[in-house]
């Protein structure tokens, strides 16, 4: 016997008292005692009764509830479970809505704790922001394939090889992040894109460095007592990177120890630990001279505000006709250590703030070789100041 349908009217639904009312065909209207109301559908599939909500009233009208119920009854006639089908459709919709920009931002957010300064400098995200998202940002991540990636990165694959490599790396992380979210993505898309793009012609150039034998002459030419000259002198003597030096604050110095905050140390896996730099007698003398320029506790302030920039030191070297750059003095120091001393590898690398050894070895190592490094930095200072 065919069950009667469309038993309810819009007016009856609107004025209904609390209770459950059948519209026929398994469609029910439930008016609650608190005044709220919703629609639900009862069907039998695979030998069991299934009950599914169709939305609240009046957001879903009687007409809309009937249309939904007919859609789901048609699925039952095909032997499908309408609840599981709706869940599948919802998952498919989520996949379509997860565009690459959303996934990239979520991936970045989840990795901030791993990045220096929580990634606020933007270096992790910028390769994506500049070279990938303008073209692929609004594309559903599930639809991105190797040809999309190839066409996006081809313009910079050879001309800006390092940037393109970083963009490809970040994109691979985003795809893995999308997979972890339950999205269907091609995790091999970036590898396939690399195969399509071919081997990069551009080779990465190391930062030009002054031969260590020429460092003493350069060091002793820095004589005008300016912020730039003093910053370069301390950069040479300490063998640190430019950024921690430029942001050197008086409260980081205690006797002959300069403590660089952990967050300022690039690339260190033990990022929760500060890094102690031994200061030679010459380095302390330079710091004493630089204190005359101190502003807000910073030893190397810029002319207007903030601190001296890396470009300021580099431009000074350019004006002298030099191709070398400030960062290169770290290489000068490392070559001097290798060629003139018998310093163990791990001590030499620690001087540069590098992490050496495997994870297990580092876990058991508690020393930072400070005393041995102090002797080495004192010897380096004697080398660069010799007549």
């Amino acid at each position: 016997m065919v069950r009667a349908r469309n038993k309810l009217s819009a007016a009856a639904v609107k004025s209904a008292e609390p209770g459950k009312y059948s519209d026929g065909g398994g469609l029910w209207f439930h008016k609650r005692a608190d005044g709220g109301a919703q629609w639900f559908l009862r069907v039998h599939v695979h030998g069991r009764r299934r009950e599914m909500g169709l939305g609240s009233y009046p957001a879903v009208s009687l007409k809309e509830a009937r249309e939904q119920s007919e859609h789901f009854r048609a699925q039952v006639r095909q032997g499908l479970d309408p609840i599981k089908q709706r869940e599948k459709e919802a998952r498919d919709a989520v996949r379509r809505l997860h565009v690459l920009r959303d996934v990239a931002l979520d991936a970045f957010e989840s990795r901030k704790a791993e990045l220096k300064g929580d990634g606020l400098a933007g270096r992790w995200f910028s390769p994506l922001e500049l070279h990938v998202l303008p073209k692929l940002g609004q594309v559903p991540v599930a639809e991105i394939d190797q040809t999309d990636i190839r066409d996006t990165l081809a313009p910079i694959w050879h001309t800006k090889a390092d940037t393109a490599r970083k963009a490809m790396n970040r994109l691979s992380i985003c795809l893995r992040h999308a997979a972890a979210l339950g999205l269907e993505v091609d995790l091999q898309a970036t590898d396939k894109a690399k195969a399509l793009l071919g081997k990069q012609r551009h080779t990465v150039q190391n930062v030009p460095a002054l031969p260590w034998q020429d460092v003493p002459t350069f060091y002793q030419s820095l004589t005008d007592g300016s912020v730039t000259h003093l910053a370069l002198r301390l950069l040479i003597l300490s063998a640190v990177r430019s950024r921690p030096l430029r942001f050197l604050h008086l409260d980081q110095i205690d006797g002959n120890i300069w403590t660089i905050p952990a967050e300022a140390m690039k690339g260190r896996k033990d990022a929760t630990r500060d890094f102690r730099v031994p200061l030679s007698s010459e380095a302390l003398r330079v710091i004493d001279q630089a204190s005359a320029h101190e502003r807000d506790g910073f030893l190397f302030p810029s002319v207007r505000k903030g601190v001296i920039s890396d470009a300021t030191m580099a431009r000074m070297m350019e004006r002298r006709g030099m191709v070398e750059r400030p960062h290169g003095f770290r290489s000068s120091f490392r070559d001097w250590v290798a060629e003139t001393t018998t310093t163990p590898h791990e001590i030499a690398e620690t001087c540069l703030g590098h992490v050496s050894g495997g994870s297990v070895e580092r876990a058991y190592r508690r020393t930072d070789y400070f005393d041995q490094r102090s002797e080495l930095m004192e010897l380096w200072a004697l080398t660069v100041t010799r007549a």
Side-chain angles (χ1 to χ4, degrees):
M1 181 178 67
V2 179
R3 294 181 180 179
R5 295 186 183 175
N6 302 341
K7 294 188 289 186
L8 299 176
S9 66
V13 168
K14 185 175 182 180
S15 61
E17 296 294 324
K20 293 181 180 180
Y21 302 87
S22 172
D23 187 54
L27 176 61
W28 288 78
F29 177 71
H30 179 202
K31 181 66 175 289
R32 300 194 308 271
D34 63 6
Q38 64 271 337
W39 301 97
F40 64 92
L41 178 68
R42 288 174 179 168
V43 296
H44 284 79
V45 59
H46 302 151
R48 59 175 178 165
R49 191 175 81 170
R50 302 286 270 161
E51 186 171 295
M52 61 191 302
L54 301 181
S56 60
Y57 175 84
V60 176
S61 68
L62 173 60
K63 179 183 177 182
E64 290 170 328
R66 286 171 175 168
E67 290 173 350
Q68 284 193 63
S69 62
E70 180 53 39
H71 169 74
F72 291 123
R73 282 193 294 262
Q75 291 180 346
V76 172
R77 290 194 293 271
Q78 297 172 32
L80 301 174
D81 185 327
I83 294 179
K84 290 184 177 180
Q85 284 299 113
R86 184 167 63 177
E87 291 172 349
K88 181 180 181 300
E89 291 171 3
R91 288 194 298 270
D92 291 343
V94 167
R95 291 190 184 98
R96 290 190 294 272
L97 289 173
H98 274 74
V99 297
L100 179 60
R101 174 171 288 278
D102 293 337
V103 172
L105 288 170
D106 195 51
F108 173 54
E109 192 67 30
S110 70
R111 280 159 179 75
K112 278 186 176 181
E114 306 170 14
L115 306 174
K116 188 175 85 173
D118 286 338
L120 293 180
R123 292 173 182 166
W124 192 94
F125 200 74
S126 62
L128 290 171
E129 187 72 67
L130 295 175
H131 303 289
V132 177
L133 297 183
K135 294 182 179 178
L136 298 179
Q138 297 306 313
V139 177
V141 69
E143 297 180 10
I144 294 176
D145 60 21
Q146 61 268 28
T147 56
D148 295 321
I149 299 171
R150 177 200 62 187
D151 295 345
T152 298
L153 294 180
I156 63 169
W157 188 246
H158 298 294
T159 58
K160 296 181 179 179
D162 191 52
T163 299
R165 178 186 59 79
K166 290 178 181 177
M168 187 74 80
N169 171 267
R170 307 295 193 269
L171 187 52
S172 177
I173 291 173
C174 289
L175 293 178
R176 294 200 300 272
H177 188 79
L181 289 172
L183 306 178
E184 293 181 1
V185 296
D186 183 359
L187 292 176
Q188 305 302 317
T190 51
D191 288 335
K192 295 173 186 174
K194 289 178 186 177
L196 293 175
L197 287 163
K199 186 177 180 180
Q200 291 177 312
R201 290 192 298 270
H202 177 76
T203 56
V204 177
Q205 299 293 323
N206 292 327
V207 176
L210 196 66
W212 71 261
Q213 296 89 341
D214 297 332
V215 173
T217 300
F218 177 76
Y219 180 89
Q220 292 169 55
S221 73
L222 303 170
T223 57
D224 69 6
S226 66
V227 168
T228 303
H229 278 205
L230 291 171
L232 278 167
R233 280 197 161 196
L234 190 57
L235 187 73
I236 292 169
L237 292 167
S238 62
V240 301
R241 290 184 172 86
S242 169
R243 181 176 175 79
L245 177 124
R246 293 185 293 107
F247 283 87
L248 172 58
H249 198 276
L250 281 173
D251 62 13
Q252 296 174 359
I253 299 172
D254 183 10
N256 70 331
I257 302 175
W258 168 20
T259 302
I260 300 176
E263 61 271 17
M265 291 301 295
K266 176 183 177 182
R268 288 183 64 89
K269 293 187 172 122
D270 54 345
T272 59
R273 297 174 60 184
D274 297 338
F275 181 65
R276 298 193 303 167
V277 178
L279 297 171
S280 64
S281 300
E282 176 69 5
L284 290 171
R285 190 178 71 83
V286 172
I287 290 171
D288 184 61
Q289 287 181 278
S291 63
H293 301 285
E294 176 267 330
R295 186 174 69 215
D296 297 327
F298 293 103
L299 285 181
F300 303 114
S302 66
V303 175
R304 294 183 179 85
K305 63 179 181 178
V307 298
I308 188 176
S309 70
D310 188 64
T312 300
M313 294 186 284
R315 296 300 87 78
M316 193 226 78
M317 296 174 72
E318 280 185 358
R319 288 194 296 272
R320 292 191 176 189
M322 301 172 67
V323 297
E324 295 82 7
R325 291 296 176 265
H327 187 79
F329 288 117
R330 287 165 55 81
S331 294
S332 306
F333 167 78
R334 188 64 180 86
D335 290 344
W336 169 81
V337 172
E339 295 178 15
T340 68
T341 76
T342 58
T343 303
H345 173 80
E346 60 270 19
I347 295 177
E349 289 299 294
T350 303
C351 285
L352 296 174
H354 288 167
V355 174
S356 62
S359 58
V360 175
E361 179 184 348
R362 294 197 305 272
Y364 282 95
R365 184 191 303 153
R366 292 292 182 265
T367 181
D368 64 356
Y369 307 108
F370 186 84
D371 292 339
Q372 296 96 318
R373 289 190 291 127
S374 293
E375 295 177 7
L376 187 62
M377 301 314 290
E378 196 69 53
L379 184 59
W380 172 239
L382 290 174
T383 299
V384 301
T385 58
R386 72 172 184 265

